[in-house]
Amino acid sequence: MTNHLATETSPYLQQHAENPVDWYPWGDEAFERARTEDKPILLSVGYAACHWCHVMAHESFEDPRIAALMNERFISVKVDRQERPDIDGVYQKVTQMMGQSGGWPLTVFLTPKGEPFFGGTYFPPEDRYGRPGFMRVLEGLSDAWRDRRSELHDTVEQFRQGFLQVDRADRGSGSIERGDLPAEAARALAQHTDLTQGGLGAAPKFPNVSCYDLVLRVYSRTSEPALFQALTVTLDSMAAGGIYDHLGGGFARYSVDDRWAVPHFEKMLYDNGQLAKLYADAYRRAGKPAWRRVAEETAHYVMRDMTSPEGGFYAGEDADSEGVEGKFYVWTPAQIRSVLGEADGALACRVYGVSESGNFEGGATVLHRPVELSGADESSLPRLRDRLLAARTSRVRPGRDENILAGWNALMIQGLCAVFQATGTTAYLQAAQRAADFIQQSLTMPDGGVYRAWRGGVAKVPGFLEDYAFLSNALLDLYESCFEKRYLDRALELVTMILDRFWENGLYFTSRDSERLMYRPRSPYDEAWPSGLSSGVFAFLRVYELTGDDMYRRRAEHELARYQAAAVVSPAGFAHLLAAQDFSRRNPFSVIFAGGRRDAAPLVESVHRAYVSARVLAFAEDVPTGEGRAPVNGRPTAYVCRNRVCAAPVTSVDALRRNFEE
């Protein structure tokens, strides 16, 4: 027996297609039935790799008794938040207005018009963990719908008024007169960094990539030791902790403790794309080999385990395998010795902190790096790691979410471009190009727009601001990596579409012709990835530097001014927008190359290998700002301009590098 999800392509919805719950996908059919039968909507939002979504499914949605109650008294609707972040974003605000933190699974109860009157996240089947049992919630709300509906409509009105206040709250208030807000924010983030273990706050700890990207950007121009200390302890601690996969590369989503030791094991594409870029950028700035290794291993993980035959990147991997969280990743001393033997096994146990008592459930150990090794031991580690990785491949892998999402792929393309530019290894560039070409071929709408998601040959859901903005920036990075003009041309098309579809006195998350929900969000805050709004501002600023068209700069400045007051109060929530402001304030370097692309390679590579946080690159014939630029004395030449003032053209690598010394 299957329900109405059986024909959906979403991996998450397919996971629930055989539940005894009569699930519907979001759409007219479900809401029409709710109106006809005068029943409330039970909306459940999650994603395929979500551990607690699996838990609630096993405990409640597979329970015939609970399913019968849901089917009798509600119309139940499942949404994959990867496909529909707009729906998720709107109804997450319901739980936040109720004083909860939000998260997944998200459970919200709606009128047949889609108006919320109650919400929460995970509910256990019976009362526990200080949470009401799901049965009790269902019975109480269905009784209220039948007997006290006027009270629920009062609650709906309260939420409606709350939505009206959201944009005002997001913008902050007051007049802000600040000299260097990005630097002040970076210093505040450094002050709040745990200088023993790295990262922000206590457990659970998330990578907060946008925050440390801002710290790196500001450090690159101020050289303040406190900024570099915060960045270093965070990058080193994450790379040494269990949040990092020491055998296969790549990062888990977050750490459940404050030492990065034990992760929540699901691996998400958006994290790994951003972290590959951050480590590659930090390596370019500081030259630390360990950071290059982490960047490359993370890229290799995605290229090996997360790449579709068509070249796109899958969305994520589960925490669980064989129904057990972390089983694929953890080891005991006996398992290590069975692969490596006594002597090599003893070394590996010391290197990776594997002990009889363990640091995880059942006496197992999440591999980490608690000690520094001597040169001889460190040199033997790749051989041991390869043997352990080969042995691990015989285990049952966690489930893989094979959704291919335009925006998340774009973040990974940016990561691969950064690793390529830092190392010169063409395999990373080739993987980025394959993914970009796949998106162009398979996720392009008939009108030239971008689809959000693709799976099994089916593209669906018109893209949101983050899809257009992330992809614009990724294609600009790709152009600056290989200088194939088709990537630049497509990036410029997408930036034009952002203004046509998402701009109405500022940027909205949904396009002007998207499905109208109860509230049209702007979504300026960073989440686990940058906000689409901040990435859109970055794209405007970069295109302005390449085209000289002031309209793009004005649009960027409009959004920077709109959210400046809020960014003062919440720098962590606006870190990527502050990074865009830093990019703008620094008057980016515009480097225009003239001459043959092959002959100019040494000049290009010298810029690629350096960390210059505010720059754009182009060949003269590709951009309006390149007009009149020509080789000097027949030699490949670089023209470096800043704030529309150009230095003398240079033909040597050393002279070019001197232009970036501040």
Side-chain angles (χ1 to χ4, degrees), residues 50-90:
C50 168
H51 172 72
W52 285 101
C53 300
H54 299 330
V55 171
M56 190 167 177
H58 295 321
E59 291 178 341
S60 295
F61 304 147
E62 295 172 7
D63 183 321
R65 184 173 59 102
I66 293 177
L69 182 60
M70 293 172 65
N71 294 339
E72 176 189 349
R73 304 191 187 182
F74 299 89
I75 304 302
S76 299
V77 174
K78 265 286 176 193
V79 167
D80 184 343
R81 58 115 26 211
Q82 294 179 359
E83 289 187 348
R84 295 298 303 267
D86 56 333
I87 296 171
D88 178 59
V90 166

Side-chain angles (χ1 to χ4, degrees), residues 433-566:
Q433 289 177 299
R434 281 193 73 212
D437 294 346
F438 169 76
I439 292 172
Q440 180 64 25
Q441 294 160 9
S442 300
L443 284 112
T444 300
M445 301 170 66
D447 65 359
V450 179
Y451 283 114
R452 168 73 175 177
W454 183 96
R455 185 169 185 261
V458 178
K460 61 189 299 188
V461 185
F464 301 98
L465 174 60
E466 65 183 35
D467 298 300
Y468 284 78
F470 293 174
L471 189 54
S472 299
N473 283 292
L475 293 172
L476 291 172
D477 285 0
L478 195 50
Y479 169 73
E480 291 184 346
S481 296
C482 67
F483 296 103
E484 292 188 26
K485 189 171 183 291
R486 61 194 175 105
Y487 297 124
L488 174 61
D489 291 342
R490 179 59 172 157
L492 296 177
E493 288 177 1
L494 292 173
V495 171
T496 299
M497 290 180 186
I498 289 173
L499 291 173
D500 288 344
R501 302 182 181 196
F502 298 92
W503 184 275
E504 290 184 31
N505 191 33
L507 288 168
Y508 281 92
F509 184 77
T510 55
S511 71
R512 65 178 74 251
D513 56 357
S514 292
E515 176 186 357
R516 287 293 186 243
L517 302 175
M518 185 176 182
Y519 160 72
R520 187 183 182 194
R522 292 187 185 270
S523 302
Y525 287 92
D526 297 335
E527 298 182 46
W529 52 88
S531 72
L533 186 148
S534 62
S535 294
V537 170
F538 250 117
F540 295 159
L541 292 170
R542 296 174 74 180
V543 169
Y544 161 72
E545 295 294 334
L546 291 168
T547 66
D549 188 336
D550 281 322
M551 182 267 293
Y552 294 109
R553 185 175 185 87
R554 291 195 301 272
R555 292 290 187 265
E557 289 176 343
H558 180 281
E559 296 299 81
L560 291 171
R562 177 192 290 268
Y563 295 104
Q564 183 170 257

